[in-house]
Amino acid sequence: MSHASAVPRHVLPVLVLAQFAGTSLWFAVNAVMPDLQRELGWATGAVGTLTSGLQFGFIAGTLVFALLAIADRFPPRTVFLVCALAGAACTVGAWWSVRDFAALLAWRMATGFFLAGIYPVGMKIAAQWYSRGLGAALGVLIAALVLGSASAHALRAMGHTLPWPTLMLGVALLAAFGGVLLFFGLGDPPGAVARVSRLQWQALGTLWTDARVRSSVLGYFGHMWELYTVWVMVPLILATRLEGVALSWAAFGVLGAGAIGCAGGGWLAQRLGSARVAGAQLATSGACCLAAPMLLGAPDPAFYAWLALWGITVSGDSPQFSALTARNAPPQAVGSVLTLTNSIGFGISIVSILLFVWLADSVPLGALLPWLAIGPALGLWALRPLLAAADASR
């Protein structure tokens, strides 16, 4: 398939809706944590433990899926369906045993494991359909995921109208629907690369041996140092001026603004190239880190404009890094390369989150937040070969 315009119109909406539904599992428990804390007397730190547990499960899952080449040895639609149904079952299990914190943590780790067959596999399916225009397609796809992740704050703001059992079971049903929708709503794309029958060790090695793959992957790692830590820190930043429902809606607005960066970046990538768009957004979000000491105490218009710009750009480069990696990875191992990249990237994000949350207890935000710029700075340095190639092709 040579042009994105040849792709049937229903493909992208099905992908977006299925991916959003499947990854809704990510924030199912976070959205109901205030209710659970009030009802069961859990400490504030419980949400951090459950979030970290899910992240660790996702890292383990992506590592296993990558090393066993699951997304490249088996039909991706089948992998997506099985993992969506399994993740939904884990969420039902979490609902059933929610009063036992240890059991709940185990169910959330299992949910994270199965998310490894949803998020990266959805990107692989998109890469199969969109041999051209992948940056734009992934921009829309990940925009939906960003909005879905940010919606935990909106659900928290509306929590008094949504009983937590209804919300948890509703998310499980939504995830199952996403798997079924993608399996039956999409066929195999014309010209899809044949599935492999053995492990792809040499292909996975291109993360380090292929200069183009290495450039985009290391740039993504710099992005991941910043992204999820910013998502964790935004409520703390907003808490310097807001509280309660107003804080939750503001957090939803700041983090949800990343959907603009993803979708808008995808549109720009068709004209400027994925490397330039990723570099520009990474540089802008890095500048937002460095501007923290000055803007934390600024008047409201400057303060909220700064957070909005940060929210837009901290997420907006993600689809373009994935597009660059998918475009340059060996065709028969795109799913495994993307999955391994996710695994390492989320491992980096956990280190960053734990470090910055620990330091936030003793270091003022104005002195702490600029250190997040280390990730964008290193990412931009790693991206230089792809930026030079983009300039040379003009």
Side-chain angles (χ1 to χ4, degrees):
M1 192 175 308
S2 58
H3 297 281
S5 59
V7 179
R9 290 184 178 181
H10 75 281
V11 169
L12 189 57
V14 168
L15 270 171
V16 168
L17 183 55
Q19 188 83 304
F20 173 83
T23 54
S24 66
L25 298 168
W26 214 299
F27 52 84
V29 171
N30 290 47
V32 302
M33 274 305 292
D35 291 332
L36 295 177
Q37 287 168 333
R38 284 193 300 269
E39 185 172 326
L40 304 176
W42 287 346
T44 303
V47 66
T49 302
L50 290 172
T51 300
S52 297
L54 185 137
Q55 298 280 70
F56 277 116
F58 181 77
I59 291 170
T62 49
L63 189 59
V64 169
F65 275 56
L67 295 180
L68 298 182
I70 298 296
D72 297 310
R73 296 170 69 193
F74 302 98
R77 290 186 302 129
T78 302
V79 174
F80 191 101
L81 173 63
V82 170
C83 288
L85 294 177
C90 288
T91 301
V92 173
W95 162 77
W96 180 260
S97 56
V98 72
R99 298 178 187 280
D100 181 343
F101 188 81
L104 177 60
L105 179 60
W107 282 117
R108 290 305 284 164
M109 292 180 71
T111 303
F113 185 92
F114 289 113
L115 277 165
I118 297 175
Y119 175 39
V121 173
M123 290 194 293
K124 185 226 169 105
I125 295 171
Q128 287 184 318
W129 278 100
Y130 294 90
S131 57
R132 293 189 181 181
L134 180 59
L138 288 181
V140 175
L141 194 65
I142 298 180
L145 304 189
V146 168
L147 204 57
S149 298
S151 68
H153 294 282
L155 290 172
R156 191 168 294 131
M158 299 184 297
H160 61 283
T161 62
L162 292 171
W164 64 261
T166 301
L167 184 56
M168 289 184 70
L169 293 176
V171 166
L173 183 62
L174 181 63
F177 165 75
V180 172
L181 173 67
L182 188 139
F183 185 81
F184 291 104
L186 294 181
D188 291 325
V193 176
R195 294 192 296 275
V196 299
S197 58
R198 57 188 176 85
L199 304 186
Q200 298 293 294
W201 301 109
Q202 186 174 358
L204 289 177
T206 59
L207 268 70
W208 318 112
T209 60
D210 186 295
R212 297 170 303 169
V213 177
R214 184 172 64 244
S215 179
S216 62
V217 165
L218 292 178
Y220 172 77
F221 292 163
H223 151 81
M224 288 297 284
W225 170 264
E226 179 195 16
L227 174 63
Y228 282 94
T229 303
V230 169
W231 281 25
V232 169
M233 301 299 284
V234 160
L236 299 179
I237 297 170
L238 288 168
T240 62
R241 304 190 183 209
L242 300 171
E243 60 183 18
V245 172
L247 191 156
S248 294
W249 280 120
F252 170 70
V254 171
L255 302 183
I260 299 172
C262 292
W267 180 81
L268 286 173
Q270 293 181 297
R271 293 150 181 81
L272 303 176
S274 291
R276 292 195 190 95
V277 172
Q281 298 216 51
L282 193 60
T284 304
S285 66
C288 288
C289 299
L290 296 174
M294 177 177 59
L295 290 170
L296 278 168
D300 280 354
F303 175 80
Y304 290 113
W306 162 60
L307 286 181
L309 179 62
W310 205 355
I312 289 169
T313 57
V314 75
S315 303
D317 49 1
S318 186
Q320 304 315 315
F321 282 122
S322 296
L324 289 166
T325 300
R327 194 174 296 133
N328 293 319
Q332 79 280 8
V334 167
S336 297
V337 170
L338 285 173
T339 304
L340 182 58
T341 301
N342 281 158
S343 181
I344 300 172
F346 276 84
I348 291 170
S349 75
I350 283 185
V351 172
S352 177
I353 289 170
L354 293 176
L355 176 63
F356 278 82
V357 169
W358 174 65
L359 290 173
D361 285 335
S362 56
V363 179
L365 289 175
L368 181 60
L369 293 175
W371 291 99
L372 282 171
I374 291 174
L378 293 177
L380 285 169
W381 178 82
L383 200 58
R384 289 178 306 156
L386 288 176
L387 291 171
D391 290 338
S393 65
R394 294 185 66 177

